[in-house]
Amino acid sequence: MAGNGFIQVDKVSKSYQRDTIKVEVLTNISLTVPEGEFLALMGPSGSGKTTLLNLIAGIDRPDQGTVVVNTVDIDGLGESALAKWRANNVGFIFQFYNLMPVLTAYENVELPLLLTKLSKKEKKEHVETALNLVGLADRIHHYPRQLSGGQEQRVAIARALVTDPALIVADEPTGDLDKVSAEEIMTLLERLNKEFKKTIVMVTHDPRAAEKAHKVMHLDKGELTKG
Amino acid sequence: MFIFRLILKNALRHKLRTFLTILGICIAVTAFGFLRTIVTAWSAGVEMSSVTRMITRHKVSFIMPLPKSYREKIQAISDVDLVTYANWFGGLYKDPNDWKNFFPRMAVDPETYFDIYPEFVLSEKELLDFRKERNACIVGNKLAKEHGFKIGDIISMDGDIYPGKWDFVVRGIYKGKDETWDETQMLFQWDYLNERIAQQQPTRQGNVGWYVLRVKDQNAMPIVAREVDELFSNSRAGTKTETEKEFQQSFVSMSSAIITSLEAISYIIIGIILLILANTIAMAARERTREYAVLKTLGFSSIHIVGLIAGESLLLAGLGGALGLALTFPISAGFAKLFPTFFPIFNVEDITIILAVSVALFAGIIAATFPTSATLRTKIADGLRQIG
């Protein structure tokens, strides 16, 4: 075990089968992330950053090793339990925002709450609070196509926050944004970490984005080094 | 509630594609319903057969005559309640190439025919008028409406099986006891036919086309059939006696190749519906691979994903099916109006409605099966990488 932390990745390996070729992505990786940490994972394309992020977030499973998040060994959870765990504990931010194009900003943010037992009124309060936090209270009825890239990413952040998860994972959150929008998003993530004590694990290629993190780690050829 | 809202929004995402898919299903279901209506109309005679009537015809062929003298002998069989007879007349009315001028014309025994067939609803006066005038005829209500026949009108025809010019006076207009009874027939006195034939072709007189028997007990039908046929087994005109249903069925079976073809086409149409819908749903599911992966990431279960894909498929199939079924009624009614005597009974039956609805729902479920299965098999990480 790699020490006591909010996230404990211990001797994890992961490979993918691409047609007849087996591609080793992560080899015997160990990592500990304390609660409230803002960690940036950097590295070249194909180095396994997103794979590691997926393992931490419970959307993929390791071939070997264990991933424990907030004392829960997520490898031991079945598909259904893992889905529930993700819904309750992890907020996701993607490079391409991944909003549902047929839903408004309000409906997109409301999505994770549909799996909860909150009343309609409570859901509305949560959604409005999240959208206020990202500065989009005046855009709640806009569809993604009616928003700029930066605004779409802020909606995605509101969606990640709305269930108040302890962990936020962000995969290249500024990768598709211009400099100004990227700066706004990083400021927002920094605020979430500082004010709301969210543990954030972020994959990025952008050194300016990584500067906002407490800690930067580099992943190359399946191995992790401190930046 | 959210699932239904998202299904609707997804379905309206590509409005033209959705419209064309619904239109395709609609046309296919209409064609299916219409063909099934033809098939059921073809068998309508079988369905409305009486359980107490039997038919005795020449054992070689229906078109060969039987002596009228058989009647008393058949009537003498203990389980036979009443016997009547009829004869196919044929004839040419106006332009024979116009389908509406083709309708069944039969010479019948005016004293007994309507006792055995209570399905012909006539007033007492009409029946009496028909019986007392040699060249009187009775026409069906639908036929009378189609040609504008009224009581007292004279219908002139050229004979084909029975040559010469034939005039009939309309003395009655019958209605069917319900909508399943054919109202396009013309019936006249067998004596009129026989007397004319006796003058023109004496060797053909005294014959009838077939006998209709009403039996006292339905269970005695096999015995009656055997007794009648044994009675004439050594005669110059042997007989074949069968239930009315079997008799009607033998007519339908003459057209079995056509019916089988229509049924085969209707099944091909089911395949077409399936392909139209499967193509749309497969395209939609492939385009939304990443969205489904996002939903799974957020904690939505497989049931939600199945609901979204199958729900959209069923929505399109249901809308197309409902519209197609709704269109089947006016199209069938139009066809029945255009060819009133071609299919005397041409109604969209309950079974056709049930089949059309089932076909649409079946297509909806099957079309969703493969895209749903593929989406569920896709790992979240792979789905998120998908470029839509």
Side-chain angles (χ1 to χ4, degrees):
Chain A
M1 193 65 83
N4 292 323
F6 183 72
I7 301 168
Q8 292 170 230
V9 176
D10 190 31
K11 295 174 185 165
V12 159
S13 297
K14 179 72 184 176
S15 62
Y16 289 115
Q17 196 74 32
R18 292 283 175 253
D19 298 324
T20 54
I21 304 160
K22 190 177 184 185
V23 182
E24 296 284 348
V25 184
L26 298 174
T27 313
N28 211 27
I29 293 281
S30 294
L31 169 70
T32 301
V33 182
E35 188 167 12
E37 177 80 286
F38 188 167
L39 170 70
L41 285 171
M42 297 189 77
S45 293
S47 59
K49 306 182 297 291
T50 298
T51 302
L52 181 57
L53 194 73
N54 287 346
L55 295 175
I56 290 169
I59 57 180
D60 208 348
R61 291 173 187 275
D63 298 338
Q64 284 177 341
T66 56
V67 179
V68 176
V69 179
N70 199 13
T71 71
V72 177
D73 179 357
I74 59 175
D75 309 328
L77 300 174
E79 282 306 318
S80 174
L82 189 59
K84 275 186 190 159
W85 178 82
R86 281 197 305 269
N88 294 326
N89 296 282
V90 190
F92 295 87
I93 303 167
F94 305 96
Q95 180 181 357
F96 298 111
Y97 333 126
N98 284 343
L99 300 177
M100 305 297 271
V102 290
L103 302 181
T104 61
Y106 181 96
E107 290 168 328
N108 266 291
V109 177
E110 190 190 19
L111 267 178
L113 296 179
L114 298 171
L115 300 168
T116 68
K117 288 178 180 169
L118 294 176
S119 68
K120 198 174 174 182
K121 191 182 165 199
E122 287 169 324
K123 283 177 193 164
K124 188 168 184 278
E125 285 169 4
H126 278 67
V127 173
E128 285 173 354
T129 304
L131 281 166
N132 265 323
L133 191 69
V134 299
L136 286 176
D138 56 340
R139 295 280 191 275
I140 58 171
H141 298 305
H142 285 59
Y143 286 92
R145 64 176 182 277
Q146 298 167 325
L147 300 171
S148 68
Q151 287 171 329
E152 279 194 75
Q153 193 61 299
R154 277 147 68 189
V155 174
I157 292 171
R159 182 178 67 185
L161 285 177
V162 74
T163 53
D164 194 23
L167 171 65
I168 289 178
V169 294
D171 190 359
E172 306 260 17
T174 59
D176 199 44
L177 298 176
D178 59 67
K179 196 178 163 187
V180 176
S181 299
E183 186 62 33
E184 284 173 5
I185 295 302
M186 286 316 301
T187 305
L188 197 52
L189 287 178
E190 197 178 17
R191 194 176 154 212
L192 293 179
N193 175 250
K194 281 184 181 163
E195 282 183 35
F196 298 92
K197 310 296 178 202
K198 302 293 177 195
T199 304
I200 298 176
V201 180
M202 174 181 72
V203 163
T204 186
H205 274 110
D206 181 358
R208 279 193 300 271
E211 278 174 15
K212 302 279 183 183
H214 299 157
K215 188 173 169 185
V216 179
M217 296 198 85
H218 286 268
L219 199 57
D220 194 7
K221 293 174 185 165
E223 290 188 11
L224 202 56
T225 55
K226 203 170 176 180
Chain B
M1 195 61 200
F2 159 76
I3 289 284
F4 294 119
R5 209 167 64 227
L6 192 52
I7 287 169
L8 194 62
K9 287 190 171 196
N10 276 339
L12 293 174
R13 199 183 285 204
H14 295 283
K15 291 185 180 67
L16 180 63
R17 185 168 75 189
T18 300
F19 169 75
L20 291 175
T21 304
I22 291 174
L23 183 67
I25 295 168
C26 168
I27 292 170
V29 169
T30 303
F32 176 83
F34 181 63
L35 285 178
R36 297 302 310 179
T37 300
I38 291 178
V39 171
T40 52
W42 219 296
S43 314
V46 178
E47 298 308 317
M48 62 192 179
S49 301
S50 162
V51 292
T52 57
R53 286 195 293 256
M54 300 184 79
I55 307 291
T56 297
R57 62 171 175 87
H58 196 289
K59 72 175 177 185
V60 175
S61 167
F62 170 70
I63 61 168
M64 296 180 75
L66 293 171
K68 183 169 174 286
S69 59
Y70 283 11
R71 182 190 182 185
E72 282 68 34
K73 292 176 184 170
I74 296 171
Q75 183 70 71
I77 292 170
S78 61
D79 283 311
V80 174
D81 183 35
L82 187 62
V83 180
T84 190
Y85 51 87
N87 205 105
W88 182 259
F89 174 72
L92 306 171
Y93 178 66
K94 291 185 176 172
D95 177 8
N97 294 320
D98 187 345
W99 267 111
K100 73 176 183 185
N101 293 329
F102 173 79
F103 48 87
R105 298 136 197 163
M106 285 182 291
V108 301
D109 175 22
E111 300 303 323
T112 52
Y113 196 76
F114 298 101
D115 291 334
I116 285 195
Y117 284 102
E119 291 91 342
F120 292 94
V121 179
L122 276 168
S123 71
E124 197 65 32
K125 182 180 181 307
E126 285 174 313
L127 191 54
L128 287 173
D129 289 347
F130 174 59
R131 282 174 176 161
K132 69 186 178 192
E133 193 170 347
R134 196 53 111 211
N135 67 338
C137 75
I138 284 172
V139 294
N141 187 44
K142 206 165 154 185
L143 184 66
K145 279 184 183 163
E146 177 64 29
H147 291 276
F149 296 147
K150 297 185 292 295
I151 302 288
D153 281 0
I154 292 175
I155 301 173
S156 294
M157 266 181 220
D158 292 319
D160 45 10
I161 303 170
Y162 301 99
K165 188 168 175 57
W166 298 77
D167 289 331
F168 304 95
V169 185
V170 178
R171 288 297 175 212
I173 296 174
Y174 75 84
K175 286 187 175 172
K177 74 167 176 34
D178 58 36
E179 61 174 18
T180 65
W181 193 252
D182 177 8
E183 290 184 352
T184 66
Q185 298 181 42
M186 180 189 137
L187 307 171
F188 64 95
Q189 290 195 22
W190 178 85
D191 287 333
Y192 178 45
L193 175 71
N194 194 49
E195 284 165 10
R196 287 273 305 262
I197 288 302
Q199 291 166 8
Q200 295 167 5
Q201 297 172 304
T203 54
R204 294 178 72 187
Q205 69 176 316
N207 287 323
V208 301
W210 64 92
Y211 289 99
V212 185
L213 291 57
R214 187 173 69 202
V215 294
K216 292 172 185 166
D217 178 6
Q218 188 186 340
N219 297 323
M221 281 181 160
I223 301 165
V224 170
R226 195 171 62 244
E227 286 186 11
V228 172
D229 293 342
E230 279 175 2
L231 202 57
F232 306 110
S233 60
N234 294 320
S235 307
R236 67 175 173 85
T239 59
K240 180 176 180 182
T241 303
E242 56 200 344
T243 63
E244 188 178 70
K245 190 164 191 171
E246 288 167 339
F247 178 72
Q248 296 284 4
Q249 190 71 57
S250 67
F251 276 97
V252 174
S253 62
M254 284 179 207
S255 319
S256 63
I258 298 172
I259 294 174
T260 306
S261 305
L262 290 176
E263 284 184 328
I265 294 168
S266 67
Y267 292 127
I268 290 169
I269 288 170
I270 297 174
I272 294 170
I273 300 173
L274 204 56
L275 288 176
I276 294 169
L277 192 58
N279 184 47
T280 298
I281 298 302
M283 265 199 287
R286 199 167 50 244
E287 286 166 3
R288 296 173 203 157
T289 302
R290 195 154 69 163
E291 289 171 32
Y292 294 136
V294 171
L295 286 176
K296 285 197 268 186
T297 302
L298 296 179
F300 285 84
S301 67
S302 298
I303 292 171
H304 291 110
I305 305 299
V306 171
L308 281 175
I309 300 174
E312 188 174 348
S313 182
L314 283 170
L315 177 71
L316 298 187
L319 280 175
L323 283 174
L325 193 56
L327 271 180
T328 305
F329 287 92
I331 286 175
S332 298
F335 182 84
K337 199 171 179 183
L338 209 58
F339 304 101
T341 54
F342 192 68
F343 286 113
I345 312 296
F346 199 79
N347 299 320
V348 182
E349 300 289 333
D350 290 349
I351 185 70
T352 302
I353 297 169
I354 293 167
L355 273 174
V357 171
S358 307
V359 159
L361 294 181
F362 170 76
I365 292 166
I366 297 296
T369 304
F370 294 106
T372 305
S373 165
T375 304
L376 293 182
R377 276 200 316 272
T378 304
K379 289 181 179 171
I380 297 175
D382 293 334
L384 290 173
R385 269 199 293 270
Q386 184 85 21
I387 305 297

